[in-house]
Amino acid sequence: MTILVIAEHDNVELKPVTLNVIQAATEVAKVTGKEIEVLVAGFDCRAVADQAVKANGIGKVLLVDDEAYSSQLAESMSSLIIKIAAKYSHILAPASTSGKNFMPRVAALLDVAQISEIISVESENTFKRPIYAGNAIATVQSGDTKKVMTVRGTAFNPVDSNEHSIVEIVGVETPDVEKNTGSRHVADELVSTDRPELTSARVVISGGRGMANGDNFKLLDGIADKLGAAVGASRAAVDAGFVSNDMQVGQTGKIVAPELYIAVGISGAIQHLAGMKDSKVIVAINKDEDAPIFSVADYGVVIDLFEALPLFEQEL
Amino acid sequence: MKILVAVKRVIDYNVKVRVKADLTDVELANTKMGLNPFCEIAVEEAIRLKEKGVATEVVVVSIGNKASQEQLRTALALGADRGILIETEQVVDSLSVAKLLQAVVLEEKPELVILGKQSIDSDNGQTGQMLAALAGMPQATFASELTIADGQAIVVREVDGGLQTLELNLPAVVTTDLRLNEPRYASLPNIMKAKRKPLDVKTPEALGVDLKCYLKVIKVEPPTERQSGIVVESIGELVTKLKNEAKVIG
């Protein structure tokens, strides 16, 4: 039996979170002695497979290049994965909106449990995962022969890349996969940015309701540029309409764990803390000294953010 | 068009959960319970479709012990037409829930099933997708906009990089994200009226579903607490500390 990792990509680029999932798979491999294979399923996505082979610790990259997978819809992805599932004991995907979309289908079609968002590998069949928005950690044990799970990327370090990889790409033909006729992709409205992705950025600077409006988020840009940071927001800022939802950090948004997280004008509601409290160093800038964010911050400054931000940019 | 909405009874979202001393679960005794917020959004969306004349009937279903009737009554007070409780004392995991819902789908034949994207207790986020797979229906998860037109559901989904629009044939499964709508409050007359709305109680056995435990919880523990740090006097001092002490910026 082998371990399968489903690569996250947009047909052009392998998303960095895939490397974190491969690390989780590596930990399973350590206790089972099994080999890891990576599935790249998409359309015109050879370039992604070329990037995937560089990941350390994998044995093979499977490439399924077919128009049916161009948008990686849940129906198509799950049909494909169950078709090739026989030889795998563990099937892992990132706990991204994509992985969360198709993996439960895979599990249901295989008649096994799906284990959501694991944060540690305890043994071949035992894993830890957060419940109640991270206010408790459950250790769960699967009695199924196949473990289908999603992985919280921030809980695992990415595996290294090997430029001189000799891992081969194996094309997989899937003529007998059931065609998805029930759903059609209409449009993507993706927010383009030159900044790093929130979930893989080394530094994240986020604004909260204290930013007062969307325009003021520009004050974070200069600092983000200097630090090479991604810009995030609290749910309060998103709900107030300051910025779009793809910037949301928190239980209902993205889970981040950068080396440095800077919370600006964020009070620190539980739901926000759930999304960033595993960051290595947390900085809080807030004028309310009683804000709960200070209880998790390594460094806090009690100061009006409109005074603080220009100073901060200047000091860098 | 008939809409089926699945709802779950969970610890109220305002309650700070505590892990039991024996590390078997979180403390549920004497804890305020409520309707899972994402399920509430699902109920609201179904009712709005009925108010627009798109839906003709909204059926709510829940799986749990007798107390889950409260959450069904809440949904009925919000405007659902009738309720179904699949009563069991067992803890039911996602796949078994999906199988029970699939049995209800076969009986009720809804054209649309709406569920919350996840429950705020187990945070699994699986049931809708599993049901769609078992029922052979197309799915749209994390919906922030739902339109029914020409026998299709047009759904805008919240995905990591922004928004994605899908078109689904009906019957279909849709799971709700936070921005889909803002649920209403039930009015007192509607709460009174809800008490007289039909609520059927069924058992998993009657639906022919064996509640297998696919995943065993062997321990529940509190997360490691983060130590709070220091308050510095100025931005200048902060930058110095980040450079020299934490060494996270160059």
Side-chain angles (χ1 to χ4, degrees):
Chain A
M1 300 284 265
T2 311
I3 301 164
L4 182 68
V5 170
I6 319 290
E8 173 110 355
H9 66 91
D10 57 6
N11 292 322
V12 180
E13 227 181 11
L14 181 75
K15 297 293 174 190
V17 68
T18 309
L19 302 177
N20 305 71
V21 179
I22 294 173
Q23 175 59 36
T26 304
E27 291 179 22
V28 176
K30 257 185 230 155
V31 291
T32 57
K34 289 172 177 164
E35 187 170 88
I36 301 167
E37 297 183 358
V38 176
L39 171 68
V40 174
F43 184 46
D44 267 344
C45 58
R46 176 86 200 186
V48 177
D50 287 337
Q51 295 159 53
V53 291
K54 294 179 189 160
N56 257 351
I58 63 171
K60 198 187 280 177
V61 171
L62 308 177
L63 174 62
V64 177
D65 199 333
D66 188 318
E67 202 172 353
Y69 309 107
S70 56
S71 313
Q72 298 169 49
L73 296 184
E75 294 82 357
S76 318
M77 288 298 287
S78 52
S79 304
L80 168 65
I81 294 165
I82 59 158
K83 201 54 116 182
I84 62 169
K87 63 179 280 207
Y88 302 105
S89 60
H90 296 74
I91 303 175
L92 293 79
S96 58
T97 49
S98 174
K100 287 173 177 175
N101 194 34
F102 62 74
M103 287 296 264
R105 278 186 86 100
V106 170
L109 295 170
L110 294 171
D111 198 30
V112 300
Q114 196 237 227
I115 312 167
S116 293
E117 212 144 354
I118 63 158
I119 56 169
S120 91
V121 175
E122 302 293 303
S123 78
E124 185 199 3
N125 62 3
T126 310
F127 309 92
K128 286 193 178 183
R129 55 176 305 267
I131 55 174
Y132 290 95
N135 287 305
I137 306 296
T139 305
V140 296
Q141 194 167 61
S142 161
D144 293 313
T145 47
K146 285 187 195 304
K147 284 83 180 166
V148 175
M149 48 199 177
T150 59
V151 176
R152 178 174 288 189
T154 56
F156 297 88
N157 291 320
V159 293
D160 293 331
S161 286
N162 175 6
E163 289 301 321
H164 308 289
S165 165
I166 50 159
V167 171
E168 59 170 341
I169 300 173
V170 181
V172 179
E173 299 295 326
T174 54
D176 53 346
V177 170
E178 197 184 320
K179 289 274 177 259
N180 164 33
T181 50
S183 69
R184 282 160 304 281
H185 179 258
V186 178
D188 281 325
E189 202 181 303
L190 301 182
V191 182
S192 67
T193 165
D194 297 333
R195 299 193 192 288
E197 259 188 290
L198 264 175
T199 50
S200 56
R202 202 188 65 84
V203 180
V204 173
I205 181 164
S206 294
R209 206 200 301 269
M211 298 300 291
N213 61 49
D215 263 357
N216 288 334
F217 268 74
K218 291 197 188 102
L219 294 169
L220 303 179
D221 286 347
I223 299 169
D225 286 341
K226 286 193 168 167
L227 293 174
V231 179
S234 70
R235 184 169 137 201
V238 173
D239 284 351
F242 299 171
V243 289
S244 62
N245 182 51
D246 56 283
M247 288 171 66
Q248 191 197 144
V249 172
Q251 174 61 18
T252 51
K254 294 194 173 71
I255 311 283
V256 303
E259 281 185 41
L260 173 60
Y261 187 87
I262 306 168
V264 183
I266 292 177
S267 64
I270 290 178
Q271 101 86 28
H272 186 73
L273 301 184
M276 46 62 84
K277 69 179 164 52
D278 293 327
S279 305
K280 200 167 142 224
V281 174
I282 296 174
V283 168
I285 296 174
N286 203 306
K287 65 179 175 190
D288 173 13
E289 59 182 308
D290 296 324
I293 190 77
F294 286 115
S295 70
V296 298
D298 299 281
Y299 301 103
V301 195
V302 181
I303 183 174
D304 186 282
L305 68 94
F306 296 106
E307 186 189 331
L309 292 175
L311 277 174
F312 198 175
E313 189 178 339
Q314 216 178 333
E315 292 273 347
L316 290 170
Chain B
M1 168 167 107
K2 187 197 277 188
I3 302 180
L4 181 69
V5 181
V7 299
K8 186 176 184 185
R9 173 183 171 90
V10 297
I11 292 186
D12 184 271
Y13 70 100
N14 284 313
V15 172
K16 176 144 177 56
V17 299
R18 303 211 181 280
V19 171
K20 281 167 130 174
D22 64 1
L23 304 182
T24 53
D25 200 354
V26 300
E27 194 56 71
L28 291 167
N30 303 316
T31 304
K32 189 180 173 205
M33 305 294 280
L35 185 55
N36 179 45
F38 292 105
C39 300
E40 207 173 336
I41 294 170
V43 172
E44 175 69 31
E45 194 64 18
I47 296 163
R48 288 188 190 187
L49 285 169
K50 193 179 171 197
E51 285 167 349
K52 281 185 206 151
V54 176
T56 47
E57 188 183 24
V58 176
V59 181
V60 282
V61 55
S62 190
I63 296 153
N65 63 16
K66 205 175 172 90
S68 295
Q69 290 201 11
E70 281 172 37
Q71 280 62 49
L72 286 169
R73 292 289 173 202
T74 303
L76 295 172
L78 291 170
D81 297 298
R82 67 189 161 89
I84 302 168
L85 173 65
I86 304 170
E87 197 175 312
T88 173
E89 290 294 327
Q90 250 178 279
V91 178
V92 189
D93 54 22
S94 308
L95 185 52
S96 296
V97 169
K99 288 180 177 179
L100 290 167
L101 294 177
Q102 157 68 350
V104 175
V105 164
L106 288 175
E107 280 185 0
E108 295 286 339
K109 301 188 175 53
E111 279 173 272
L112 184 64
V113 187
I114 312 180
L115 305 89
K117 73 166 179 178
Q118 72 189 65
S119 62
I120 60 166
D121 48 3
S122 57
D123 284 338
N124 277 318
Q126 304 172 357
T127 304
Q129 297 89 312
M130 286 181 157
L131 171 63
L134 297 177
M137 292 183 188
Q139 72 179 47
T141 49
F142 323 134
S144 64
E145 214 181 299
L146 169 62
T147 318
I148 306 290
D150 306 325
Q152 294 191 323
I154 298 109
V155 185
V156 180
R157 306 178 55 227
E158 296 196 352
V159 295
D160 284 337
L163 298 172
Q164 179 184 64
T165 307
L166 297 182
E167 210 174 64
L168 311 180
N169 293 349
L170 298 178
V173 174
V174 172
T175 76
T176 63
D177 217 319
L178 278 179
R179 258 152 297 274
L180 183 59
N181 60 51
E182 267 188 53
R184 70 195 67 189
Y185 291 97
S187 67
L188 192 58
N190 284 345
I191 292 171
M192 299 311 289
K193 241 195 280 176
K195 291 183 180 162
R196 292 190 302 274
K197 288 186 179 175
L199 197 164
D200 271 354
V201 179
K202 296 176 191 273
T203 62
E205 297 76 51
L207 291 167
V209 177
D210 172 28
L211 300 186
K212 186 180 151 195
C213 178
Y214 294 85
L215 200 62
K216 210 160 69 184
V217 175
I218 53 180
K219 190 172 162 193
V220 174
E221 57 198 323
T224 45
E225 287 292 324
R226 217 186 151 92
Q227 300 295 320
S228 61
I230 55 165
V231 170
V232 297
E233 290 308 311
S234 68
I235 291 293
E237 193 186 343
L238 170 70
V239 172
T240 309
K241 293 260 188 212
L242 290 178
K243 278 184 182 161
N244 303 333
E245 197 175 271
K247 297 188 170 51
V248 284
I249 59 175

